[in-house]
């Protein structure tokens, strides 16, 4: 899906074409769902928030502007929705004793190609290193490596400036580099 | 706050270098001095390793050949970024997405508001009695409204199923008729709101004779409002019509639509595109899962052949053999080879049962005075 084609669908949707919004819903549902689930770990909450987000877009279509990268716009909007909902849930936390106060990305080894190739210890080492990164570093890495967003779009999604995102990603990679010296040697050997 | 937080875990000198690197991103000479850190921070380099961007891949593969001195830094950066290469996540269950998509569609096309209630005109004597009736009606309406309100996004569903060898005639809430072929499932909301798009979901095969509910002057489906349309969802295809007759086949791996009369607006929903074509009578469109990116292509066929299963008989009327060969391929999966290419132009007339393909083949062979040889899915007429 190219950004231009999505932007065209977005324009058609703003003109009142319900099929265009349905198409965007189908195109980005998986990515939004996985991102939301990464942030909150709560499937029902994520489903409801995505549904509410699109219904709200439809109701307010006349007040919306053109966007360059629809995917980034939707990610940002979902992130805000999830934030609002999570705040509400937190307020009533006594009602939800099992609710984990997270809103953060937790990585697991199933998600990485390389973790399948190195031994369990190395893989655990990598996951521990990833999950020791700051919340924002983990989220920026997720948006970069799982969704292929540019620094500029990550900045849009996370409401940061581009330089901050550049720093977040760079520092995260530097930290991993220090921690993963041994795994790196293995990877280099595998690559040869 | 965010700026400070980000800057604090960052040596000041590097920030400067980062900015400079950003400015000169596309100057090759700058890459020649790249350290491992520089490679790591470079978005184009990241894309190359992670594989989001083919152009970046070409560039960097060519670059390292030109700059062998940077090989160690290059390799280290590649290895580190490879650690972060992700697997494609499992796609979500189709049922979950379908349900959520249906909820959204429902919210976008809410049922039309009930019409203003008719005014009752009654004489003086009847007034007291009438007011009781009005009160009862009002209560009744309130009850209905409350009930509707309680279940706005959870319609109840009706489904019809046929088993092997079974055909079934179904009349839909709008009076449209559906003939279901064997091993098929048709699903729809139990009640249809007037003025709301009529939707059904099909797996298997069915022939639809759809009632035209739009005002008579509305004939073009492409420009008609959603509320008067009838839509068959078949796999990735949406078949939208006003009032027509057509056949839809949805089996594993393929979806086929053939139009007998009227007009069809056919949309392909998946693969991140909105592909749509308008079908005229006699046109066929087939979608194959082996080529999900291929655009929808129409071709002319004898439409009645494709709905012949509803009557059990194929009628040939000066029908070119080439059309029959196409039918044998489309409906029975047979590849027919003609010993003499001129056979394709011969024409046949007559009626044959279509439930037994061997009977059909023999009849064709006899009429053409050729030998029929069949081996699995291959047939020779010579």
């Amino acid at each position: 899906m190219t950004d231009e084609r999505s932007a065209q669908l977005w324009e058609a949707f703003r003109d009142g074409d319900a099929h265009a919004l349905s198409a965007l819903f189908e195109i980005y549902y998986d990515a939004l769902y996985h991102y939301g689930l990464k942030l909150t770990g709560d499937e029902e909450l994520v489903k409801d928030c995505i549904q509410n987000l699109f219904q709200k877009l439809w109701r307010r279509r006349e007040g919306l502007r053109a966007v360059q990268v629809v995917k980034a716009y939707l990610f940002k909007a979902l992130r805000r929705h999830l934030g609002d909902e999570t705040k509400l849930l937190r307020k009533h936390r006594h009602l939800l004793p099992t609710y984990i106060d997270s809103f953060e990305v937790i990585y697991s080894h199933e998600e990485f190609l390389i973790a399948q190739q190195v031994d369990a210890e190395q893989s655990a080492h990598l996951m521990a290193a990833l999950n020791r990164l700051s919340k924002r570093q983990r989220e920026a890495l997720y948006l970069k490596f799982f969704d292929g967003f540019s620094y500029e779009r990550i900045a849009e999604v996370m409401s940061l400036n581009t330089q901050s995102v550049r720093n977040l990603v760079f520092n995260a990679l530097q930290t991993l580099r220090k921690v993963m010296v041994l795994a790196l040697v293995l990877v280099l050997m595998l690559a040869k | 706050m965010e700026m400070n937080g980000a800057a604090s875990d960052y040596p000041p000198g590097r920030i400067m270098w980062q900015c400079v690197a950003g400015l000169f991103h596309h100057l090759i000479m700058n890459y020649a001095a790249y350290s491992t850190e520089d490679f790591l921070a470079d978005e184009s380099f990241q894309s190359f390793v992670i594989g989001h961007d083919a152009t970046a891949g070409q560039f960097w593969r060519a670059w390292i050949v030109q700059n062998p001195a940077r090989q160690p830094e290059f390799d280290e950066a590649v290895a580190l970024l490879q650690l972060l290469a992700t697997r494609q996540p499992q796609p979500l269950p189709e049922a979950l997405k379908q349900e959520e998509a249906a909820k959204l569609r429902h919210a976008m096309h809410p049922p039309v508001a009930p019409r203003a209630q008719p005014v009752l005109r009654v004489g003086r004597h009847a007034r007291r009695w009438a007011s009781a009736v009005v009160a009862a009606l009002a209560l009744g309406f309130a009850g209905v409204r409350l009930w509707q309100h309680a279940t706005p996004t959870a319609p109840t569903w009706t489904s019809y199923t046929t088993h092997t060898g079974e055909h079934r005639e179904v009349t839909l809430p709008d009076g449209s008729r559906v003939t279901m072929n064997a091993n098929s499932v048709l699903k729809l909301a139990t009640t249809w709101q007037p003025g709301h798009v009529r939707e059904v979901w099909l797996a298997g095969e069915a022939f639809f004779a759809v009632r035209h509910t739009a005002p008579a002057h509305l004939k073009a489906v492409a420009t008609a409002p959603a509320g008067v349309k009838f839509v068959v969802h078949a796999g990735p295809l949406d078949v939208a019509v006003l009032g027509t007759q057509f056949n839809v086949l949805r089996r594993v791996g393929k979806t086929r639509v053939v139009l007998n009369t009227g007009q069809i607006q056919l949309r392909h929903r998946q693969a991140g595109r909105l592909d749509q074509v308008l079908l005229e009578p006699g046109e066929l469109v087939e979608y194959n899962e082996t080529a999900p990116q291929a655009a929808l292509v129409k071709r002319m066929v004898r439409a009645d052949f494709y709905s012949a299963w509803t009557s059990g008989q194929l009628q040939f009327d000066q029908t070119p053999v080439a059309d029959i060969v196409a039918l044998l391929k489309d409906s029975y999966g047979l590849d027919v080879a003609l010993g003499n290419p001129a056979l394709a132009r011969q024409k046949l007339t007559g009626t044959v049962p279509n439930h037994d393909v061997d009977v059909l083949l023999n009849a064709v062979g006899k009429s053409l005075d050729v030998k029929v040889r069949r081996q699995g899915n291959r047939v020779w007429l010579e």
Side-chain angles (χ1 to χ4, degrees):
Chain A
M1 192 68 199
T2 64
D3 290 342
E4 296 89 67
R5 191 71 193 93
S6 294
Q8 282 168 11
L9 285 171
W10 180 264
E11 285 310 288
F13 142 64
R14 289 205 305 141
D15 279 346
D17 183 348
H19 282 285
L21 187 62
S22 284
L24 289 170
F25 184 85
E26 292 216 17
I27 293 162
Y28 294 120
Y29 195 85
D30 280 61
L32 287 167
Y33 185 92
H34 286 124
Y35 175 55
L37 198 59
K38 266 277 161 246
L39 289 178
T40 65
D42 183 336
E43 294 177 13
E44 288 306 312
L45 176 70
V46 172
K47 252 167 53 180
D48 286 351
C49 279
I50 299 176
Q51 184 65 238
N52 290 341
L53 165 61
F54 277 84
Q55 291 192 9
K56 202 164 148 192
L57 286 174
W58 178 249
R59 288 196 303 274
R60 301 193 177 171
R61 61 190 179 277
E62 272 150 24
L64 295 172
R65 283 174 304 152
V67 296
Q68 271 182 306
V69 181
V70 178
K71 188 178 176 186
Y73 180 95
L74 293 174
F75 268 58
K76 182 187 174 70
L78 177 64
R79 192 178 191 276
R80 201 170 41 221
H81 259 64
L82 285 168
D84 294 347
E85 286 299 311
T86 313
K87 253 181 234 147
L88 271 177
L89 284 172
R90 259 182 217 153
K91 255 192 216 159
H92 305 288
R93 191 164 16 186
H94 58 284
L95 295 174
L96 295 155
T98 56
Y99 187 78
I100 306 157
D101 178 16
S102 52
F103 205 66
E104 62 181 295
V105 172
I106 307 284
Y107 288 106
S108 72
H109 71 277
E110 293 93 4
E111 295 164 327
F112 296 92
L113 286 169
I114 205 75
Q116 316 293 309
Q117 293 169 30
V118 297
D119 64 40
E121 199 189 321
Q122 282 303 324
S123 162
H125 196 46
L126 173 61
M127 291 314 120
L130 277 169
N131 289 323
R132 266 201 308 274
L133 297 170
S134 77
K135 262 163 79 158
R136 276 203 249 152
Q137 282 177 329
R138 268 175 280 159
E139 189 176 352
L141 279 191
Y142 180 87
L143 292 168
K144 181 125 224 34
F145 293 102
F146 283 74
D147 284 297
F149 281 119
S150 66
Y151 288 144
E152 198 186 344
R153 294 303 154 199
I154 297 172
E156 181 184 339
V157 173
M158 295 179 70
S159 305
L160 300 172
N161 69 44
T162 310
Q163 188 56 44
S164 306
V165 172
R166 199 178 277 278
N167 295 351
L168 279 176
V169 172
F170 181 78
N171 288 333
L173 291 173
Q174 278 292 74
T175 308
L176 289 178
R177 188 180 165 209
K178 277 176 211 136
V179 176
M180 294 308 296
V181 176
L182 185 56
L184 279 176
V185 172
L186 281 171
V187 171
L188 284 170
M189 278 162 55
L190 284 170
K192 293 282 142 119
Chain B
M1 255 340 266
E2 278 160 353
M3 266 307 289
N4 292 341
S8 63
D9 47 351
Y10 212 100
R14 280 232 62 95
I15 291 180
M16 281 307 295
W17 171 234
Q18 284 287 304
C19 292
V20 173
L23 282 173
F24 291 95
H25 228 218
H26 293 101
L27 290 184
I28 307 282
M29 54 177 289
N30 193 47
Y31 290 135
Y34 255 30
S35 66
T36 306
E37 286 91 346
D38 298 322
F39 284 122
L40 288 178
D42 189 297
E43 288 209 274
S44 149
F45 189 82
Q46 293 164 354
S47 298
F48 147 62
V49 179
I50 298 303
H52 287 305
D53 183 349
T55 319
Q58 276 174 11
F59 172 81
W60 286 105
R61 271 188 289 276
W63 184 88
I64 193 61
V65 173
Q66 300 289 316
N67 298 271
R70 294 284 128 201
Q71 191 79 47
E73 291 85 356
F74 188 92
D75 283 347
E76 195 192 353
V78 167
L80 185 76
L81 290 172
Q82 268 178 356
L83 283 177
L84 298 170
T86 54
R87 301 175 65 191
Q88 273 304 95
Q90 290 283 326
L92 295 175
E94 196 54 30
L96 183 154
K97 272 176 82 173
Q98 287 295 327
E99 196 185 321
E100 291 298 314
K103 260 192 213 170
L104 176 63
R105 274 200 300 277
H106 202 264
M108 290 193 291
H109 305 290
V112 284
R115 281 190 209 141
Q117 287 167 27
V119 180
L120 292 173
R121 273 200 217 102
V122 289
R124 190 181 290 166
H125 299 294
R127 195 161 276 164
R128 176 173 291 188
W129 186 80
S131 62
V133 171
V134 170
L137 273 174
L139 276 172
F141 273 114
V144 170
R145 293 289 300 279
L146 268 177
W147 178 79
Q148 283 176 342
H149 188 72
T151 56
T153 53
T156 53
W157 298 91
T158 299
S159 43
Y160 302 96
T161 308
T162 53
H163 301 286
T164 307
E166 184 190 358
H167 285 189
R168 183 169 178 179
E169 288 260 350
V170 173
T171 304
L172 302 180
D174 66 336
S176 295
R177 300 255 300 280
V178 182
T179 310
M180 295 171 66
N181 206 344
N183 295 318
S184 302
V185 180
L186 185 74
K187 200 174 157 189
L188 56 143
T190 305
T191 50
W192 283 359
Q193 309 279 351
H196 190 238
V197 61
R198 298 163 283 167
E199 285 182 291
V200 301
W201 283 258
L202 175 74
E205 183 168 26
F207 182 77
F208 293 84
V210 172
R211 255 197 63 205
H212 190 100
T213 58
H217 68 273
L218 259 182
K219 293 214 169 61
V221 60
T223 52
V228 296
K229 287 186 189 175
F230 182 103
V231 179
V232 182
H233 301 284
L237 301 186
D238 288 346
V239 185
V241 302
L242 296 180
T244 58
Q245 302 202 355
F246 57 98
N247 196 79
V248 179
L249 173 84
R250 163 71 187 158
R251 300 279 186 211
V252 175
K254 98 173 160 191
T255 309
R256 185 172 71 207
V257 180
V258 184
L259 178 60
N260 297 58
T261 64
Q263 221 182 33
I264 284 177
Q265 183 187 29
L266 189 65
R267 284 174 185 260
H268 177 227
R269 274 180 291 113
Q270 281 182 351
R273 301 171 303 148
L274 200 61
D275 188 5
Q276 88 174 38
V277 290
L278 201 65
L279 267 64
E280 300 294 336
E283 288 184 328
L284 170 151
V285 169
E286 192 166 279
Y287 164 84
N288 272 299
E289 247 134 68
T290 49
Q293 291 298 329
L296 297 176
V297 181
K298 307 190 285 186
R299 63 184 159 100
M300 283 299 286
V301 293
R302 281 281 307 268
D304 55 324
F305 284 4
Y306 294 82
S307 45
W309 60 267
T310 56
S311 64
Q313 297 208 309
L314 281 166
Q315 289 189 344
F316 298 146
D317 178 17
Q318 287 291 307
T319 305
V321 170
D323 287 5
I324 300 173
V325 168
L327 169 79
L328 288 166
K329 170 86 182 147
D330 290 335
S331 289
Y332 301 93
L334 296 179
D335 283 315
V336 180
L338 299 176
N340 176 358
L343 276 181
R345 290 191 296 276
Q346 294 243 25
K347 289 177 178 158
L348 294 183
T349 298
T351 304
V352 280
N354 76 333
H355 46 81
D356 187 338
V357 72
D358 286 316
V359 173
L360 171 59
L361 283 172
N362 278 331
V364 170
K366 278 214 178 94
S367 318
L368 294 171
D369 197 20
V370 295
K371 264 213 184 100
V372 178
R373 204 154 52 81
R374 179 173 172 192
Q375 225 173 53
N377 288 332
R378 296 198 57 93
V379 175
W380 290 267
L381 299 179
E382 47 209 3

